[in-house]
Structures are given as C-alpha cells and as structure tokens.
Amino acid sequence: MSNLSENTIHAEIDKLELPYKMAEDLKARLKGVKVTRKQLDKIIEKVELAYKNARVQNCEAVGMIAAQSIGEPGTQMTMRTFHYAGVAEINVTLGLPRIIEIVDARREPSTPMMTIHMTPDIAGNRDAVKKLGWELEETNVSDMGVVSTNLSDMSIIIDINEKQLFQRGMTMQEVADRIKEEIDYEPRIQDNTLVINPDEPSYRDLLQLVEKIKSIPLKGIKGISRVVIRKEEQEYVIYTQGSVLKKVIQFDGVDPARTGTNNINEIAEVLGIEAARNAIIKETLDTLSEQGLTVDIRHIMLVADMMTIDGEVKQIGRHGISGEKASVLSRAAFEVTVNHLLDAAVAGEVDELTGVTENVIVGQPIQLGTGDVELLAVSTTRKK
C-alpha cells in the first residue's frame, strides 16, 4: 500500500472529535513519518480509545478526586521555606508554604521575585543586560556611599563611592539634585563628598535627617531590592528580589511576553484573569515537581478554574470558594460552624442536600456515581 501525503493525514485528523491541542500534537508527531492508510486507521483508533478512557465519567466526583490527588502528595512535601533554587542570593519560597500561598491567594507572596528575559537584540550582550539591571534595581543614597554626621559643626557628610556612581551611570550633581528635591537643603560638592548644613538643628533632628537621607531613592524601581544576572543557554536572564511587573515590562530591552513573576495577584491585575489562571497552574506544577512529586495537570486545572471562575483570584477558604458554597451544612462543616448555622437560620436558608459533605452529615447516600441513579422496579406480570 502507498504512503499517505501529509495533507491527507491532517484532513483525517481534523475529522476526529479531539481537543485542538491533542489533534495538533498528533499532527506534529506524524510529521515526516511515512504511514499507510491501514497504519493511520490503527493510530487513530488507539488515540480515540485513549482519549475516551481519559475522559471523566458521568457523575464522577471530580472535586473530591482533585482534592485527594493534590492533598496526598502534599503530606510528603518538605517545610523548606527558603531555598536558593540555583540563583545566588535570591530567596524563593518552595514546598508546602508555597502551595499554601497559592491556594490562599495571598496578596503578596512571602518572597516575591521576577524572571526577566530580554529582547533578542540584547539577550546575548552581558554589558547591555547589566546596564538594564542597574536601571531596574532600586538605588538609595545608602547604596551609593556612607552617610555620617560631623557634630563639631552639626553637618551631614555623604561619602560617595566612585565605583557605585560609575556603575549606576550617575554624576555627583545628579545625586545632589535628587537629595535637594527631597529635603530642601542644597548639598555642597567637595570632591567625592556631599556636605549638608541644616539650619540650627538639634542633635535629634540631625539623626532623623540622616535616616531620611539614607532612604532617598536615586534610581531604579521601588520594590526591586536586588538584581542577579545569570546566563541560561545562549542568553542572559535577570532575576529580581521583589516584583513590580507593570513597570518592568515597560522598559526598553525587556521581552514582556517571556517575563514572569511569582505574584499571581499582580499577574491578574496587569495581564488579566486568564494569565492568572495559567500562573496558578504553572506555579503549582513547578512547586510539586521541584519536590519530586507528580500530580495530573487536570486536577490542578480544576483548582485553578474554581479560583478564577468569577473573574478574580479567590482563595480556597472561608473567604473564597468554601465560604460561597450554596449548601449551609457544607459551609458549616468547613470553618466557623456556629456563625454559618446562625446566619442561615436568620436568613431562612434551605439546604438542597446535593453535595457530598452535606449528605454525609445527614447520613444518606451522596448524589454522585451510583448514588445519583434511581432504579424503578416495574412489574411485567399481566393482569388476567
């Protein structure tokens, strides 16, 4: 038998009732492979059978299975809160604390970080990436030099480090102008030193002014406290401690399509709810795989769908999904039992007993699987 052309193979695959991604994967795997009509029919038959077996059965308790599938490996996760993850001096929360952060939809993760990829024109140029890194990193006066006091004439002396000044592409005049904007005192430039003489300050006022001067921002993005550059394959990647996605993706040289953050709420605000859903799936899978655990992606996708179904990222807890269940008994079984029952009694709520938890509480079969089927016995005997 003659081999089929690529167009014929694609046409046959398009006729199948398969998800788009699965059909495209099948086309990609058969690219450049010589197959006859008989072989293609056998391949299609096996793929259809595998897809049919993988589908969820009617009345299957997908929520319970997803909870068990994620919860059981969770018992084997370590409590390591900090780990270097191959990047020097950048702390990342991993293990069980990270999973808890994700499902609790925390406003800010305990260790926010970003992975910034560059556009192709500068991705391989270390100097250009380093320059961009200095533009991103938050730089205060205390990073540029030593701030001290001279009690003999009640003045403040800022000893600027020449190397730091050069690295960050700033001049002494720019530093002096920025300080003047913040404190209304004109610093005098003496070689690599700035001298400030406040008007008749007390010793306490002088020390307070020193602390204020130390924290004056000179350059960079507020919130990005550290930048580390690392070479991966043929390009340089910037890792940051701190996350400000909205501002970072506006910088020239940053590739916004490949730049990411571990702050899911920030992704929802900047890129939308679909991006946040994908981030929940990716972050959860990455955390589990780092611990050497495997969970079917469909269970994690179900959790991500439930967390984002209303157009905002909601936690799996009494202030989110569990607290918004229609069933009174199900809400009461989760947390703050008395409050839920009291509020429901005042409002005159009715529990339809359709879920798993509430049926277990009242001691009747759950309406899932075989419990969802009612059999009716019909007599076949004829009346004389």
Side-chain angles (χ1 to χ4, degrees), residues 79-266:
M79 291 297 287
R80 278 186 304 164
T81 307
F82 296 103
H83 175 57
Y84 287 120
V87 182
E89 299 171 46
I90 297 282
N91 288 325
V92 189
T93 306
L94 292 172
L96 199 59
R98 179 61 182 148
I99 293 287
I100 293 167
E101 267 183 10
I102 295 166
V103 297
D104 276 356
R106 298 265 172 90
R107 195 80 206 148
E108 280 274 332
S110 54
T111 53
M113 68 163 290
M114 294 184 72
T115 307
I116 304 168
H117 289 267
M118 311 306 130
T119 50
D121 54 319
I122 69 162
N125 185 338
R126 181 175 174 79
D127 292 335
V129 174
K130 205 170 183 180
K131 187 181 176 185
L132 182 60
W134 289 125
E135 294 285 327
L136 295 171
E137 186 174 283
E138 182 183 1
T139 303
N140 298 326
V141 172
S142 57
D143 299 318
M144 300 293 276
V146 179
V147 184
S148 58
T149 55
N150 185 346
L151 297 179
S152 61
D153 59 358
M154 296 297 276
S155 64
I156 297 168
I157 298 163
I158 306 166
D159 192 11
I160 300 291
N161 186 315
E162 268 190 276
K163 187 181 176 184
Q164 293 289 345
L165 200 67
F166 174 74
Q167 279 184 332
R168 285 165 169 79
M170 295 187 78
T171 62
M172 290 289 287
Q173 190 59 53
E174 285 174 338
V175 175
D177 291 344
R178 189 73 193 88
I179 292 170
K180 187 188 175 186
E181 279 178 37
E182 291 288 328
I183 62 168
D184 290 330
Y185 289 117
E186 179 87 58
R188 291 197 321 274
I189 301 172
Q190 297 177 356
D191 297 327
N192 288 328
T193 307
L194 297 174
V195 181
I196 301 166
N197 290 100
D199 302 330
E200 300 179 9
S202 66
Y203 181 58
R204 185 183 174 188
D205 291 341
L206 195 72
L207 290 179
Q208 286 179 340
L209 191 59
V210 166
E211 291 306 311
K212 188 177 180 182
I213 289 168
K214 282 181 180 179
S215 61
I216 292 173
L218 299 175
K219 205 171 186 181
I221 298 173
K222 186 175 172 59
I224 294 183
S225 58
R226 190 165 195 82
V227 165
V228 171
I229 297 166
R230 190 172 167 218
K231 188 165 189 182
E232 293 182 359
E233 294 176 3
Q234 300 302 312
E235 65 172 338
Y236 290 96
V237 179
I238 294 176
Y239 290 89
T240 70
Q241 197 164 302
S243 175
V244 192
L245 184 64
K246 193 171 186 177
K247 290 183 180 177
V248 167
I249 59 175
Q250 293 173 0
F251 272 71
D252 291 334
V254 171
D255 185 353
R258 295 189 299 145
T259 294
T261 170
N262 65 351
N263 188 336
I264 291 162
N265 279 293
E266 193 177 21

